[in-house]
Amino acid sequence: MKFNIKNIVCCLMLICFCSNSYSQENISLDSIISNIKEDKYPQIVKKQKLDEALELTYKVSNDTLRNEYILSLSNLYRKNSDSLMFRKTTSQSLDLSEKLNDSISIARSYWRLGSFLKTIKSDSSYHYYHKAKEIYELKSEQLLTGQMLFNMAVLQKNVKDYIGSQVTTTNAIEVFNALDDYDGLYRCYNNLGIIFNNLEDHENAIGYYNDALETLKRIPKKKILEATVLNNIGIVYREKENHVKAIDYYNKALAFDSLQIKNPKLYATLTDNIAYSKFKMNDFSELPDLFYKALKIREDLDISAGIVINKLHLSEYYLSQKDTIKSFNYANKAKELAKEIKSYDHLLDLYKLLAVITTNDKNSIYLKKYIKLSDSLIKNERTTRNKFALIKYETDVVKSENKKLNLKINWIVAISSAVIFFGFLIYVITQQRTRNKELEMEQQQQRANEEIYNLMIDQQDKIEEGRKREKERISLELHDGILGRLFGTRLSLGSLNAKDDSNSKKTREQYINELQSIEEEVRNISHELGLDNFDTTTSYSTMIANLLEEQSKITNFKYQIEDDDRIVWTDIPGHIKINIYRIIQESVQNINKYAKAKNVILDFKKNNNHIILTIKDDGIGFNQEKRSSGIGLKNMKSRVTLLHGQFTINSVPGKGTSISVDVPMT
């Protein structure tokens, strides 16, 4: 008993120790992350502390908690400009999220990757935003869905896919409207204003900027954003070359309380914009001082893009003042910085400006660089837009397929229920109909056999009538021709019996030759009679030949009958001949109806007491897998089955059809 109590105490102590150790690790990790966020470490120490915190995450046994820590650290690595560790920790978070089946965390990782890549690789950024949006949409996270749509719209705008950006922004507006999210609506309206300004649709641009201003009135403590919108409206008027109106909006924006302190970046932009509009109006009263004022603020804040714009404007200003040295210096410095920060749109403007400033060879060099960069940008933008479209298309295809699949599943469930309920009834009805069809088919076959028999009898009667007429003709020939000649020859020979002179001998020789001629004529008539007798064995072949002759006139096909002399049709039972005749008739009718054949071959062969019939045509053929057998083919198969034979059909589209029938002769 004491032993058990000791064991329990030891276990409790071990649990307490582990729990305490675990808590200490968490406290230490939380402390480091908190201190990094509050910027309590010098920059040189911050990287070391981040790595130390990452090592501590590996000791956290709870995967969900560890994932939260890694997500926090990935964000801190990004803020510390450590892109390599940001990608590494984000990938770790993705792996953990997939292991935990935590789709929201997966979406957060995609979001961060999209945000990180938006200025580096816009197509990859769009891809990750899109994947995050799909997850948020699936989880009914409407606010986050709208944010991802807005991020995608901005990327589309940046690569000049203005129509695509407009559609995506409109979709985001629908989401934000439903949520009364005025911050999201403001950003969307402002983006639409930029889009329409770039499309040179200035009226719509101003309209959307005004919508943004109206929306900002509903957002507390966001009034300073109005200055941004007023600056954008001023830019629209500058594009319209209405610089007086533009300066008016810039000054309205500058009038916001303490703007220079609260938002010095915007203050510098407005100052530079006023200076540039004054320059365009040839109002040099405060120039170049305003340019230099804006430039100093931007240099103090290390706003590289703003510095490029400022120096570009100063270059233009000094060019107008005929000071080409200063103009070139500012343009050249701006060019180098634009290359460094990859501000290619501004670099294009600078190449164009340098081509104007310089002369001779350098002028053409800058023009060539301008053309090369312009072509490259257009190509890259087109490629990126195509990638955006492909991502959206592939997602739409998957959605469409999923929707179809769900619809199919619903239909399958509904139909299965109905099939179970009505299955037995349908089976009984089907069986009854099948029996009725079989009976009807047998009756039709019986009637067809009777028709064929009657047809054969009629044909035989015609043959007998022809034979009778031929016998009458031969009888007349014998009576009127041969008998007359024999009678005349006999009388002439009788009159010569008493004479033995040379003339009589010569005359008798002539009459003997005449008898030979008559003998030959009798032989010919006898041969004709022999052929007539042979008709009794070939009448069935004649019927088939007559059938093909008549049918060939319908579609003008040529036919050929190859008969095996070893087949003695008079010895073949009538029911076999009737069925074979019917099969040939049905087959030839099908050729006329469907095949469009030019040539038909009918081939009879005898093989081991079997008749093998082959019917070939060079028509259009058909696909045996797709076309089910019609009643004609079924009848043919049925007839062959009744004769205990085999029926085969082969057809290839474009290469004709071949039917083979193999039946015993008895």
Side-chain angles (χ1 to χ4, degrees):
M1 185 71 179
K2 286 181 181 180
F3 176 75
N4 290 338
I5 291 171
K6 284 181 180 179
N7 285 344
I8 291 169
V9 170
C10 288
C11 288
L12 287 171
M13 288 177 66
L14 182 61
I15 291 168
C16 289
F17 173 77
C18 291
S19 177
N20 188 47
S21 174
Y22 173 76
S23 298
Q24 288 298 324
E25 288 170 359
N26 285 356
I27 291 167
S28 176
L29 190 53
D30 288 333
S31 175
I32 295 172
I33 291 173
S34 177
N35 288 336
I36 294 171
K37 285 180 178 179
E38 294 172 11
D39 210 18
K40 290 184 178 180
Y41 298 118
Q43 188 62 33
I44 196 168
V45 179
K46 197 177 289 184
K47 173 69 167 66
Q48 178 186 341
K49 288 295 181 182
L50 279 168
D51 293 343
E52 184 182 329
L54 183 61
E55 286 297 320
L56 287 172
T57 61
Y58 300 140
K59 297 178 182 179
V60 178
S61 58
N62 186 301
D63 285 344
T64 303
L65 184 59
R66 176 150 52 99
N67 197 25
E68 288 297 322
Y69 281 132
I70 293 174
L71 274 170
S72 297
L73 288 173
S74 72
N75 202 35
L76 291 170
Y77 273 119
R78 184 187 171 194
K79 288 181 179 179
N80 201 43
S81 302
D82 191 340
S83 59
L84 184 64
M85 290 305 296
F86 167 78
R87 295 295 294 270
K88 178 181 176 181
T89 49
T90 305
S91 295
Q92 288 176 348
S93 177
L94 267 174
D95 292 340
L96 262 177
S97 300
E98 288 172 357
K99 178 183 174 183
L100 294 165
N101 199 23
D102 184 355
S103 55
I104 295 298
S105 293
I106 292 172
R108 283 167 65 190
S109 296
Y110 286 148
W111 185 353
R112 288 188 179 179
L113 284 168
S115 180
F116 172 72
L117 292 167
K118 67 182 177 183
T119 57
I120 303 170
K121 195 167 176 51
S122 55
D123 56 333
S124 296
S125 175
Y126 184 90
H127 169 73
Y128 285 120
Y129 279 142
H130 194 275
K131 291 185 79 170
K133 189 265 294 184
E134 292 297 307
I135 294 172
Y136 287 137
E137 199 170 39
L138 190 64
K139 293 294 181 179
S140 300
E141 293 284 350
Q142 293 303 307
L143 178 60
L144 297 173
T145 300
Q147 290 175 351
M148 294 306 103
L149 284 168
F150 174 75
N151 292 339
M152 291 159 60
V154 171
L155 286 171
Q156 289 173 299
K157 177 200 68 183
N158 291 344
V159 297
K160 299 180 182 178
D161 180 11
Y162 298 127
I163 303 302
S165 182
Q166 182 186 348
V167 171
T168 310
T169 306
T170 304
N171 292 338
I173 286 173
E174 290 178 5
V175 175
F176 292 137
N177 255 329
L179 299 171
D180 290 333
D181 183 347
Y182 300 113
D183 183 66
L185 287 170
Y186 150 72
R187 288 183 288 136
C188 287
Y189 290 136
N190 190 61
N191 192 55
L192 286 172
I194 297 170
I195 290 168
F196 280 99
N197 187 44
N198 288 330
L199 290 171
E200 297 183 0
D201 186 348
H202 300 125
E203 297 307 316
N204 267 322
I206 292 170
Y208 281 115
Y209 283 137
N210 285 327
D211 288 340
L213 287 173
E214 286 299 314
T215 306
L216 282 172
K217 292 177 182 178
R218 302 190 181 193
I219 304 174
K221 300 179 181 179
K222 290 289 182 80
K223 296 294 182 182
I224 200 166
L225 291 174
E226 291 181 27
T228 302
V229 181
L230 291 169
N231 175 64
N232 291 343
I233 295 174
I235 292 171
V236 175
Y237 281 109
R238 185 179 76 189
E239 295 293 323
K240 293 176 70 176
E241 297 186 1
N242 188 345
H243 295 288
V244 174
K245 197 91 171 178
I247 290 173
D248 182 46
Y249 274 96
Y250 297 146
N251 284 324
K252 284 180 183 178
L254 284 171
F256 276 84
D257 183 43
S258 306
L259 184 65
Q260 188 172 2
I261 298 169
K262 293 178 180 177
N263 195 336
K265 180 180 178 181
L266 178 58
Y267 182 85
T269 300
L270 288 163
T271 303
D272 180 60
N273 285 344
I274 290 172
Y276 193 68
S277 284
K278 280 179 172 287
F279 161 67
K280 286 293 185 179
M281 293 167 62
N282 294 320
D283 179 3
F284 305 117
S285 57
E286 297 180 81
L287 304 181
D289 294 342
L290 286 176
F291 283 130
Y292 284 123
K293 182 180 179 181
L295 180 59
K296 186 177 186 314
I297 296 170
R298 284 167 163 169
E299 286 178 337
D300 290 342
L301 296 173
D302 194 24
I303 305 170
S304 298
I307 294 169
V308 170
I309 294 169
N310 243 129
K311 289 184 177 179
L312 172 63
H313 289 169
L314 277 166
S315 178
E316 288 185 53
Y317 167 75
Y318 281 114
L319 182 63
S320 72
Q321 301 300 307
K322 312 298 183 185
D323 189 345
T324 54
I325 295 174
K326 279 189 176 181
S327 178
F328 177 80
N329 287 338
Y330 276 115
N332 195 48
K333 289 176 183 178
K335 172 179 70 76
E336 294 304 317
L337 183 57
K339 281 184 181 179
E340 184 182 333
I341 64 173
K342 299 179 180 178
S343 181
Y344 297 118
D345 285 338
H346 293 131
L347 188 57
L348 269 180
D349 294 333
L350 286 160
Y351 280 142
K352 190 190 294 184
L353 181 59
L354 284 164
V356 175
I357 297 168
T358 56
T359 55
N360 302 328
D361 294 340
K362 287 189 177 181
N363 174 281
S364 61
I365 289 170
Y366 287 124
L367 281 176
K368 286 178 182 177
K369 287 183 177 181
Y370 173 84
I371 293 168
K372 183 178 179 181
L373 178 59
S374 178
D375 291 343
S376 176
L377 288 176
I378 291 169
K379 183 178 179 181
N380 288 337
E381 286 166 359
R382 186 185 298 118
T383 301
T384 306
R385 287 197 296 269
N386 290 341
K387 287 180 180 178
F388 287 179
L390 182 61
I391 291 167
K392 187 176 184 303
Y393 170 76
E394 288 175 347
T395 304
D396 290 343
V397 168
V398 171
K399 281 185 176 179
S400 176
E401 288 177 353
N402 287 339
K403 187 181 285 186
K404 288 178 182 177
L405 183 60
N406 289 333
L407 186 63
K408 282 181 180 178
I409 291 170
N410 292 337
W411 274 105
I412 287 168
V413 171
I415 292 170
S416 297
S417 301
V419 167
I420 291 170
F421 183 76
F422 293 106
F424 180 73
L425 180 61
I426 293 172
Y427 174 76
V428 172
I429 293 171
T430 303
Q431 288 296 105
Q432 187 63 39
R433 285 181 177 177
T434 302
R435 284 195 291 271
N436 290 341
K437 283 183 179 180
E438 288 176 354
L439 181 60
E440 184 180 349
M441 190 177 293
E442 288 177 3
Q443 291 173 346
Q444 288 177 352
Q445 190 165 328
Q446 184 65 31
R447 287 195 296 270
N449 286 341
E450 291 175 1
E451 289 175 4
I452 291 172
Y453 182 75
N454 292 333
L455 180 65
M456 291 182 70
I457 294 299
D458 290 342
Q459 186 71 18
Q460 192 65 33
D461 289 343
K462 289 178 181 178
I463 291 169
E464 290 297 330
E465 185 179 348
R467 185 183 293 113
K468 182 178 178 182
R469 285 198 300 270
E470 185 66 14
K471 284 181 178 180
E472 288 175 354
R473 182 186 69 80
I474 292 169
S475 174
L476 287 172
E477 287 291 326
L478 290 171
H479 182 271
D480 297 339
I482 293 172
L483 287 178
R485 290 172 66 186
L486 283 173
F487 180 72
T489 303
R490 180 175 62 80
L491 290 176
S492 297
L493 286 172
S495 65
L496 292 172
N497 282 337
K499 299 177 181 180
D500 196 26
D501 57 88
S502 60
N503 286 333
S504 297
K505 289 180 181 179
K506 189 175 180 180
T507 302
R508 277 197 294 272
E509 186 179 353
Q510 289 176 352
Y511 284 129
I512 290 168
N513 290 336
E514 177 68 14
L515 286 173
Q516 286 179 340
S517 175
I518 293 169
E519 180 186 348
E520 183 65 27
E521 187 173 349
V522 170
R523 186 181 293 108
N524 289 336
I525 293 171
S526 175
H527 180 64
E528 288 180 8
L529 286 172
L531 289 175
D532 188 49
N533 291 334
F534 186 69
D535 282 345
T536 58
T537 65
T538 59
S539 60
Y540 185 72
S541 299
T542 304
M543 288 176 63
I544 292 172
N546 290 339
L547 171 65
L548 283 174
E549 178 65 25
E550 290 298 321
Q551 290 293 324
S552 68
K553 293 175 183 178
I554 298 173
T555 56
N556 295 319
F557 65 75
K558 295 179 181 179
Y559 67 89
Q560 179 181 345
I561 301 174
E562 297 178 0
D563 203 353
D564 193 334
D565 294 337
R566 295 176 297 169
I567 302 174
V568 182
W569 288 109
T570 53
D571 295 340
I572 306 300
H575 71 283
I576 294 176
K577 290 192 286 187
I578 288 171
N579 281 295
I580 289 175
Y581 184 90
R582 183 57 175 164
I583 289 167
I584 295 169
Q585 186 182 46
E586 181 64 37
S587 180
V588 175
Q589 285 176 351
N590 285 341
I591 290 169
N592 276 330
K593 286 180 182 178
Y594 311 114
K596 300 179 181 178
K598 293 182 179 179
N599 297 284
V600 177
I601 298 174
L602 205 68
D603 184 22
F604 287 102
K605 287 284 188 297
K606 180 181 178 183
N607 184 25
N608 296 331
N609 206 32
H610 274 239
I611 295 174
I612 299 173
L613 164 65
T614 304
I615 306 168
K616 294 181 181 178
D617 69 74
D618 60 357
I620 60 174
F622 60 91
N623 191 328
Q624 291 180 246
E625 294 181 359
K626 292 185 178 179
R627 183 183 295 179
S628 60
S629 298
I631 190 167
L633 285 175
K634 289 179 180 176
N635 284 345
M636 284 192 273
K637 291 177 183 177
S638 177
R639 290 178 184 278
V640 174
T641 302
L642 288 172
L643 297 176
H644 306 290
Q646 292 183 345
F647 179 88
T648 307
I649 181 167
N650 289 303
S651 185
V652 178
K655 294 186 178 180
T657 303
S658 173
I659 292 174
S660 177
V661 175
D662 184 343
V663 295
M665 297 174 65
T666 55

